[in-house]
Amino acid sequence: MKLTLKIWRQRNAADKGRMASYELDDVSPDMSFLEMLDVLNERLIIEGDDPVAFDHDCREGICGMCSLVIDGTAHGPQRATTTCQLHMRHFKDGDVITIEPWRASAFPVIKDLVVDRSAFDRIIQAGGYVSAPTGSAPEAASIPIPQADAHDAFDAATCIGCGACVAACPNASAMLFTAAKITHLGLMPQGQPERYGRVTAMVDQMDAEGFGGCTNTGECTSVCPKGIPLETISRLNADLLKATAKG
Amino acid sequence: MSWTYQKIGHMFRNVSSVSRSTPVAAPRRPQAPSTAALPRRLYRSSVGKKAVMAVTGGILVLFLVGHMLGNLKVFLGRADFDHYAHWLRTIGEPALPHRVFLTIMEAVLTVAVILHMWSAVSLARRARQARPVRYAVRPKAQEHRYATHVMRYGGIIILLFVIWHLLDLTFGVVNPKSGGAEPYDKVVADFDPSRWYITVFYVIAVVMVGLHLKHGLWSAFQTLGWGRQRRYRGLHLFADVVAALLVIGFVAVPVMVTIGVVK
Amino acid sequence: MSLFSEGEPIRDTRAPDGSIKGRWDQRRFGGKLVNPANRRKLSVIVVGTGLAGGAAAATLGELGYHVKSFCYQDSPRRAHSIAAQGGINAAKNYRNDGDSIQRLFYDTVKGGDYRSRESNVYRLAQVSVEIIDQCVAQGVPFAREYGGLLDTRSFGGVQVSRTFYARGQTGQQLLLGAYQALERQVAAGTVEMFTRHEMLELIIVDGVARGIIARDMVTGEIETHTADAVVLASGGYGNVFFLSTNAKGCNVTATWRAHRKGALFANPCYTQIHPTCIPQSGEHQSKLTLMSESLRNDGRVWVPVEKGDTRKPADIPEDERDYYLERIYPSFGNLVPRDIASRAAKNVCDEGRGVGPGGLGVYLDFQDAIARLGRDAVAGKYGNLFEMYERITGDDPFEVPMRIYPAVHYTMGGLWVDYDLQSTIPGLFVIGEANFSDHGANRLGASALMQGLADGYFVLPNTISDYLAKGPYEKIDDDHEAVVEARASVTDRIEKLLSIDGDRTPDSFHRELGAVMWEYCGMERTEEGLRKAIDRIRELRAEFWSSVKVPGENEELNQNLEKAGRIADFLELAELMCIDALHREESCGGHFRAESQTPDGEALRDDENFAYAAAWEYTGEAPVLHKENLEYEYVKMTQRSYK
């Protein structure tokens, strides 16, 4: 396959950045999207150009590190799939593919397609945990959890923290990420004691990081590689309103 | 391989303003419960602002339902319609003085509209700041819900329409009849076949209101914490039906006047 | 010149004597404690934020120590523990099926092919019970029964159901638990987090580990971090093979740098090769993806009888297919252990009967299962795995047989540690996959997560206090001779890498190294092959240092500079792996020497001569071997058989 890639190039946070165009003519349909970029980079190095920086690690769809907006869609055209699991057979010979970083002021660009997602860590620091110091745990079987709750909690807990929800949201909101953690912990008995303090602190931190507000467009869940359901956001809303009413 | 620089205008915004010179401070443990008053606590967060929009939106929807039912009295004839309009001013009499109920209602609606818009503007500004550099390729809407994507612009159009509408049928400033004329006369004069363009304008505006409600009603349930996967179909259906009924009910009057059914 | 020399034997002096059951209690009682008020004056560096490192940093923070935690990823949540699928073992005996600490201990020692240390393994089994309690308390969403109690399953061929799991994402959920505990400590101010930082050197002052030199991967700044103790939790070195199931960033640099500074590296040749991975699709392949082992429960493994048969699988009639596992191992069939299945696949591919691109693959066929159970039942059991397979290969396993091939998955070797998990450098502790301690020559399924969390939550935080109680140590200034030297070695190396400006990319060396290792130090090793490999690795290393091309500069995010540094260390480790494999003239666990097999081709251990852990000392020239003799008081050594 022959492809034209239009890639966002930005040397560092202070650089203005620009789109650059590359031709690639030996792309195999069996390559993953990132392997296609590897091939491009190997050529750029030999030709004395600066290779394209992009985040990636596990390349099996679970670490949440890869983060590309491909032709306007976070993680590209295949649903429920991270960029690293997207393969070139979903593109055709002659395609022009535009690759951009996650765009959000809370995710400043570090270089090219690499952004700083530490805002997510700080949202978790604000309360995305159960305070259970090592050694203090009761016997595991003493906390039964109805299977349905465990199931819903699990669905929320599968969030990989990639940030596609923010990238896709017209408001650059981090609600789906935050709501996934609120829902995971809020549905389990272990999470109850800190439930309302948690939601207030996490939403405050989310707002402080400069993410936009949620307007229920549903874009987040449709690009989410793990299919975190939209109802997590409603659960967060319910918890936050209760917490607000309680004061 | 070539470096061809593409000049895509809006991508040349100052990117450095995106990167923070001072990172956001790491949060400390959740603070003790806030002692601030409820409205303050609510308004502090982006979620609280959405809740304000949901509640005020709900008030406005209830008003629209009443307004629509009242409008439909046009089909019962001049006497019924004018009597209804008059009755609005006498609700609660003699316990309440003349027009007090209506004034309270107007005040509530005004506050609701202001809060609704204030929250919307505040969230829109927050969204704009949250994405200072836009995508070169316009993000494809994965959720193909037209209504969802016209909330903000739709809201502005609706606001302009409401202002026109008040000047037209409430104050009579832009109505062929004077402000003191009987309501029935004002309506008939307004949508006279010769003024077909006014009718078209009204229809477009009402459809905008419908689209706004299609997403807005569903969104309000979601915001107030009632959204669950298993209820989404029902909630969407409810929002669509209410929006559709309101559109039909509101469009019926001007259209029927214009085509001469109501004279 | 000989490849290595032998030095003094080495011995663990920390495990108390007496009954194995009481050793952990004894050790905790015997260790010195640190007064809670003094803990914040003591600092600990933890490198790596996987299950071991994340759990250790969080727990040390909870105890009140001042912790500095480092990871190369952009968030501690992304460490590769996150990719573990199967589950975590614990001797809870919730099923009342005869499990016990003793049995988990026994299974682990036997599974490790009698090449692990009994004391450590027994403690692992004891602590396993507490891990589950801890994780549940943190809100880890383990699978539950209808009644709300924890579900377990049997895994990896053991006869008891002791594996706790969270769908196919157990590693992710356990890691998020540790990550959240870690972030709680960051918020509490006890842990300082350094993401996108890579440890490039160990600082040793007067023979004691006192800190690290780390590179800020965003700015390129070379930073000095000193502390009272250093903990390495930097994972395994499977990426020496280039293609493995490890994450792309996994590397040996932290442990290798420590090794060069005096920490012994034990059993580097012990690598686990997983039989059911998706094969390579071409030259561009960058990593391999594991498919759950459970697929072998219903899939049948076969290759064409004829060499070079390029027909579509559906066109190959039944009598021209060789269901080789069923043929060679009639009683276990497709369910033989990992190492045996892997080697058998390699053998048929070496015969030229492999399928798919490059002939490196065998079929895993579900047609019989679909015919027997029905399509829906198969979809119910394996639907998500089939989807994952289709996403990667574009083939639908309902229509076309899957193609699988073995891939490097886990490395049992690592830095040598004593019962306290302290290396041969005082003050340097090594936990998780980075150490060598618990799995012997082969790791059982669902035991990696157990060991990581055992080390991180329970073992290290208790043993390190004995060391820290002797502190706080004298403060080290940035201009201390040892710091200056360590910094200089880092900056010199970076400058060297950037200045070579040759004509080959770092990845091209990595690929070539991986191919050599896979060929000669992979599933089957021979003396001849290993000698060839050592020669080739030396050439390749020389070539690397003369013709690698690293673009860009240090003072920026430079992913190729990062890679080049890691590859330089892999090029050194690879040689040691081959030397270790060469010297161990027996087959055991993940190490199969063609010269040492039973008449019917199975691994043949040599307990007489090789019942020891091989701990290697770095000299810059030929390494020195220190043997730790392994004594089995509680488990009797036997030969495995699966015929």
Side-chain angles (χ1 to χ4, degrees):
Chain A
M1 281 201 294
K2 195 167 160 18
L3 297 173
T4 304
L5 303 175
K6 293 185 173 176
I7 303 178
W8 179 257
R9 300 305 309 264
Q10 183 176 339
R11 284 194 69 81
N12 50 44
D15 183 22
K16 269 173 121 172
R18 65 194 176 273
M19 294 299 276
S21 180
Y22 306 91
E23 306 288 329
L24 206 54
D25 49 14
D26 43 6
V27 177
S28 148
D30 288 328
M31 285 178 181
S32 74
F33 199 85
L34 297 185
E35 284 165 356
M36 182 271 295
L37 290 180
D38 288 343
V39 169
L40 171 70
N41 277 344
E42 292 288 284
R43 284 174 47 177
L44 288 177
I45 294 172
I46 293 303
E47 288 166 12
D49 274 333
D50 195 24
V52 180
F54 59 92
D55 261 333
H56 64 100
D57 202 21
C58 79
R59 296 205 177 186
E60 50 186 282
I62 194 76
C63 77
M65 192 114 172
C66 60
S67 46
L68 304 179
V69 172
I70 300 165
D71 287 337
T73 303
H75 286 309
Q78 197 181 13
R79 280 210 167 198
T81 304
T82 54
T83 300
C84 66
Q85 296 263 283
L86 174 67
H87 280 67
M88 297 312 293
R89 67 182 73 92
H90 297 283
F91 298 87
K92 321 186 286 295
D93 188 43
D95 273 358
V96 178
I97 304 174
T98 306
I99 310 170
E100 298 174 80
W102 287 173
R103 294 277 187 213
S105 62
F107 287 166
V109 173
I110 292 173
K111 185 179 180 183
D112 297 340
L113 304 169
V114 176
V115 300
D116 177 355
R117 284 170 287 190
S118 55
F120 272 9
D121 288 334
R122 291 188 292 273
I123 292 175
I124 297 296
Q125 284 160 26
Y129 48 74
V130 173
S131 297
T134 306
S136 62
E139 156 60 39
S142 65
I143 312 172
I145 302 174
Q147 204 183 38
D149 287 352
H151 185 271
D152 287 352
F154 194 101
D155 281 346
T158 56
C159 168
I160 57 175
C162 63
C165 45
V166 174
C169 176
N171 309 312
S173 170
M175 273 290 266
L176 193 67
F177 168 79
T178 310
K181 192 45 65 192
I182 294 289
T183 303
H184 162 209
L185 299 177
L187 278 170
M188 306 192 83
Q190 301 93 309
Q192 297 313 308
E194 295 166 292
R195 182 168 176 179
Y196 296 106
R198 173 186 307 125
V199 69
T200 310
M202 287 178 76
V203 170
D204 280 355
Q205 185 67 29
M206 177 183 85
D207 287 345
E209 295 288 350
F211 291 106
C214 173
T215 54
N216 302 326
T217 65
E219 292 295 329
C220 50
T221 184
S222 64
V223 298
C224 176
K226 298 296 151 185
I228 304 293
L230 203 57
E231 73 167 42
T232 56
I233 291 180
S234 202
R235 288 183 187 274
L236 177 150
N237 291 335
D239 279 8
L240 187 85
L241 294 177
K242 268 182 223 157
T244 306
K246 286 176 176 209
Chain B
M1 214 168 313
S2 62
W3 286 84
T4 53
Y5 292 75
Q6 286 205 335
K7 300 224 169 184
I8 298 173
H10 63 256
M11 312 212 66
F12 278 80
R13 284 188 197 172
N14 186 6
V15 180
S16 61
S17 66
V18 181
S19 69
R20 259 189 218 101
S21 50
T22 48
V24 175
R28 293 295 164 193
R29 285 158 175 273
Q31 307 83 353
S34 166
T35 50
L38 177 75
R40 235 192 122 102
R41 290 202 305 272
L42 193 63
Y43 220 69
R44 165 175 89 171
S45 75
S46 58
V47 176
K49 289 190 180 107
K50 276 298 280 185
V52 169
M53 289 188 73
V55 170
T56 53
I59 291 169
L60 295 171
V61 170
L62 289 177
F63 161 73
L64 285 182
V65 171
H67 184 5
M68 180 197 73
L69 293 174
N71 287 4
L72 294 177
K73 288 203 175 274
V74 152
F75 295 109
L76 298 179
R78 173 189 292 273
D80 270 358
F81 187 70
D82 285 347
H83 178 246
Y84 160 73
H86 181 68
W87 169 77
L88 286 177
R89 289 157 180 77
T90 61
I91 296 172
E93 282 185 21
L96 292 175
H98 186 70
R99 216 184 179 287
V100 163
F101 180 84
L102 192 61
T103 307
I104 291 172
M105 200 169 80
E106 284 167 353
V108 167
L109 290 175
T110 307
V111 169
V113 166
I114 288 171
L115 285 176
H116 197 80
M117 292 194 317
W118 185 16
S119 303
V121 168
S122 154
L123 285 166
R125 284 187 49 179
R126 168 172 269 281
R128 187 170 287 273
Q129 284 161 4
R131 178 163 296 135
V133 181
R134 289 168 186 277
Y135 290 107
V137 175
R138 194 189 154 89
K140 279 183 209 143
Q142 300 291 304
E143 294 297 308
H144 298 284
R145 295 198 197 111
Y146 179 73
T148 308
H149 298 283
V150 295
M151 289 304 280
R152 282 182 192 138
Y153 301 109
I156 292 168
I157 293 171
I158 292 165
L159 174 69
L160 295 175
F161 166 70
V162 168
I163 291 169
W164 171 270
H165 184 56
L166 290 173
L167 291 175
D168 183 0
L169 289 166
T170 305
F171 303 114
V173 177
V174 292
N175 193 279
K177 301 275 177 183
S178 75
E182 282 299 317
Y184 191 90
D185 287 336
K186 279 201 273 191
V187 169
V188 171
D190 203 19
F191 303 115
D192 186 82
S194 66
R195 284 164 56 90
W196 57 271
Y197 47 90
I198 295 289
T199 305
V200 169
F201 172 53
Y202 264 75
V203 169
I204 290 171
V206 166
V207 168
M208 286 312 298
V209 171
L211 285 173
H212 201 76
L213 293 189
K214 179 180 156 64
H215 175 73
L217 254 179
W218 174 82
S219 179
F221 288 116
Q222 171 80 356
T223 297
L224 294 176
W226 297 320
R228 292 293 176 275
Q229 218 62 33
R230 63 178 186 281
R231 295 186 201 142
Y232 280 151
R233 272 189 65 175
L235 290 177
H236 274 298
L237 189 68
F238 175 77
D240 293 356
V241 167
V242 170
L245 288 177
L246 281 170
V247 169
I248 293 166
F250 276 119
V251 161
V253 176
V255 169
M256 289 303 165
V257 172
T258 305
I259 63 174
V261 176
V262 175
K263 290 182 189 159
Chain C
M1 198 187 86
S2 89
L3 287 167
F4 68 94
S5 61
E6 191 171 337
E8 290 295 303
I10 186 172
R11 199 166 85 75
D12 168 36
T13 55
R14 299 289 175 165
D17 295 330
S19 162
I20 199 164
K21 288 182 183 159
R23 284 180 195 168
W24 180 224
D25 269 352
Q26 279 299 318
R27 181 67 197 115
R28 280 183 290 183
F29 180 68
K32 290 197 199 70
L33 300 177
V34 180
N35 179 329
N38 289 335
R39 289 184 196 148
R40 67 188 159 79
K41 295 176 209 151
L42 290 159
S43 54
V44 181
I45 285 171
V46 182
V47 181
T49 58
L51 287 182
T59 304
L60 292 171
E62 286 160 4
L63 287 168
Y65 296 110
H66 175 211
V67 180
K68 286 178 163 187
S69 169
F70 293 80
C71 66
Y72 72 76
Q73 297 90 345
D74 73 332
S75 165
R77 67 181 291 150
R78 309 205 197 281
H80 199 55
S81 302
I82 203 154
Q85 298 172 358
I88 176 166
N89 288 331
K92 282 283 198 186
N93 195 27
Y94 283 160
R95 292 298 182 113
N96 198 29
D97 57 0
D99 198 12
S100 62
I101 287 167
Q102 178 74 21
R103 188 176 296 280
L104 176 53
F105 160 66
Y106 172 82
D107 285 349
T108 306
V109 170
K110 180 186 171 206
D113 222 0
Y114 308 95
R115 291 293 177 265
S116 49
R117 192 190 288 151
E118 276 191 333
S119 307
N120 286 51
V121 177
Y122 196 88
R123 175 178 62 191
L124 176 65
Q126 285 175 309
V127 166
S128 71
V129 176
E130 296 170 63
I131 295 171
I132 302 302
D133 297 345
Q134 178 60 31
C135 295
V136 167
Q138 288 171 342
V140 171
F142 282 117
R144 302 251 161 195
E145 302 268 19
Y146 284 107
L149 294 173
L150 290 158
D151 193 14
T152 54
R153 59 185 174 193
S154 79
F155 196 82
V158 296
Q159 286 154 315
V160 291
S161 284
R162 65 158 76 99
T163 304
F164 294 79
Y165 64 101
R167 292 190 203 161
Q169 298 159 29
T170 317
Q172 181 195 27
Q173 295 308 318
L174 295 175
L175 183 64
L176 292 182
Y179 159 72
Q180 286 162 204
L182 178 63
E183 295 296 356
R184 186 169 84 95
Q185 292 309 305
V186 172
T190 60
V191 176
E192 261 183 281
M193 190 68 228
F194 296 87
T195 59
R196 292 195 196 268
H197 273 67
E198 186 168 34
M199 167 183 165
L200 293 178
E201 195 54 275
L202 182 69
I203 299 171
I204 294 191
V205 178
D206 301 330
V208 174
R210 290 304 311 275
I212 63 168
I213 306 290
R215 179 171 176 271
D216 178 331
M217 292 155 71
V218 174
T219 64
E221 195 176 331
I222 305 300
E223 301 172 351
T224 303
H225 295 273
T226 57
D228 294 297
V230 177
V231 179
L232 298 187
S234 51
Y237 48 86
N239 266 351
V240 69
F241 292 89
F242 185 71
L243 290 180
S244 79
T245 65
N246 284 5
K248 291 296 287 175
C250 291
N251 66 83
V252 76
T253 292
T255 46
W256 192 256
R257 294 284 118 195
H259 173 58
R260 286 178 60 116
K261 290 268 179 150
L264 301 191
F265 205 115
N267 301 335
C269 78
Y270 290 162
T271 44
Q272 183 168 75
I273 293 173
H274 200 291
T276 51
C277 297
I278 300 176
Q280 210 176 330
S281 65
E283 276 303 300
H284 53 262
Q285 192 83 24
S286 61
K287 84 150 266 159
L288 297 168
T289 302
L290 183 77
M291 297 296 290
S292 169
E293 220 169 353
S294 64
L295 289 168
R296 285 198 283 144
N297 290 331
D298 286 302
R300 296 179 71 194
V301 178
W302 64 277
V303 290
V305 171
E306 289 301 317
K307 283 183 197 178
D309 190 336
T310 53
R311 286 176 291 177
K312 285 184 188 154
D315 297 340
I316 301 177
E318 203 57 30
D319 59 350
E320 290 176 45
R321 299 177 176 193
D322 178 13
Y323 295 91
Y324 60 90
L325 286 177
E326 297 168 24
R327 173 171 59 80
I328 307 171
Y329 307 98
S331 65
F332 275 73
N334 294 299
L335 292 173
V336 292
R338 287 178 181 178
D339 50 344
I340 291 173
S342 296
R343 216 163 46 240
K346 176 181 160 52
N347 290 341
V348 294
C349 292
D350 286 352
E351 289 165 18
R353 298 195 287 143
V355 296
L360 293 175
V362 299
Y363 289 126
L364 179 62
D365 198 332
F366 289 86
Q367 286 315 310
D368 284 1
I370 293 165
R372 187 177 44 162
L373 304 168
R375 194 187 158 105
D376 289 349
V378 172
K381 266 174 136 168
Y382 306 114
N384 56 347
L385 292 168
F386 281 21
E387 266 172 41
M388 178 166 121
Y389 181 85
E390 186 174 4
R391 200 172 288 148
I392 293 171
T393 63
D395 286 340
D396 177 4
F398 282 112
E399 307 301 330
V400 190
M402 276 187 184
R403 283 180 299 107
I404 55 165
Y405 198 64
V408 174
H409 181 51
Y410 187 89
T411 53
M412 281 72 70
L415 291 183
W416 186 91
V417 290
D418 60 20
Y419 190 68
D420 282 0
L421 304 182
Q422 186 166 214
S423 72
T424 47
I425 300 173
L428 179 70
F429 293 78
V430 190
I431 59 178
E433 191 179 348
N435 74 25
F436 89 116
S437 75
D438 294 351
H439 305 298
N442 180 46
R443 179 180 63 75
L444 284 184
S447 283
L449 304 185
M450 172 172 68
Q451 186 222 340
L453 289 181
D455 288 0
Y457 282 133
F458 296 105
V459 180
L460 176 90
N462 281 291
T463 58
I464 202 171
S465 72
D466 185 49
Y467 178 80
L468 290 172
K470 297 174 213 145
Y473 295 84
E474 195 186 330
K475 193 177 170 339
I476 309 289
D477 292 325
D478 277 8
D479 53 6
H480 187 286
E481 184 189 0
V483 174
V484 172
E485 183 250 76
R487 285 184 70 100
S489 80
V490 168
T491 49
D492 287 354
R493 208 161 100 109
I494 290 173
E495 273 166 30
K496 171 84 173 136
L497 286 169
L498 289 167
S499 66
I500 298 167
D501 196 26
D503 54 9
R504 283 187 65 178
T505 64
D507 261 353
S508 76
F509 284 100
H510 199 174
R511 273 181 201 280
E512 191 173 345
L513 173 68
V516 170
M517 291 301 284
W518 182 243
E519 178 68 22
Y520 300 113
C521 198
M523 279 181 279
E524 185 175 307
R525 295 131 182 211
T526 64
E527 180 179 348
E528 192 200 350
L530 288 165
R531 287 191 186 279
K532 220 186 266 177
I534 290 167
D535 289 344
R536 185 64 199 121
I537 290 164
R538 288 176 176 177
E539 285 165 21
L540 199 59
R541 199 161 58 220
E543 218 178 313
F544 175 86
W545 284 107
S546 64
S547 63
V548 73
K549 184 179 176 83
V550 183
E553 52 201 53
N554 176 56
E555 287 71 27
E556 61 173 344
L557 179 71
N558 187 338
Q559 293 173 319
N560 278 282
L561 177 61
E562 296 158 19
K563 267 187 206 169
R566 295 168 189 167
I567 294 163
D569 289 331
F570 279 134
L571 282 163
E572 294 180 13
L573 164 80
E575 182 176 332
L576 184 67
M577 287 174 73
C578 291
I579 292 173
D580 186 41
L582 184 64
H583 109 282
R584 190 170 284 278
E585 293 167 344
E586 63 160 354
S587 298
C588 64
H591 170 63
F592 186 84
R593 278 290 294 269
E595 299 91 337
S596 178
Q597 45 184 313
T598 61
D600 40 12
E602 298 307 329
L604 182 65
R605 264 196 348 254
D606 178 358
D607 293 335
E608 188 94 357
N609 295 306
F610 291 98
Y612 61 80
W616 297 93
E617 180 188 345
Y618 182 85
T619 62
E621 301 281 322
V624 178
L625 169 66
H626 300 272
K627 294 178 181 172
E628 181 196 344
N629 197 33
L630 298 171
E631 283 151 22
Y632 288 90
E633 287 177 71
Y634 295 86
V635 184
K636 190 171 162 288
M637 292 189 180
T638 53
Q639 195 74 33
R640 299 189 304 164
S641 171
Y642 296 94
K643 288 261 165 169

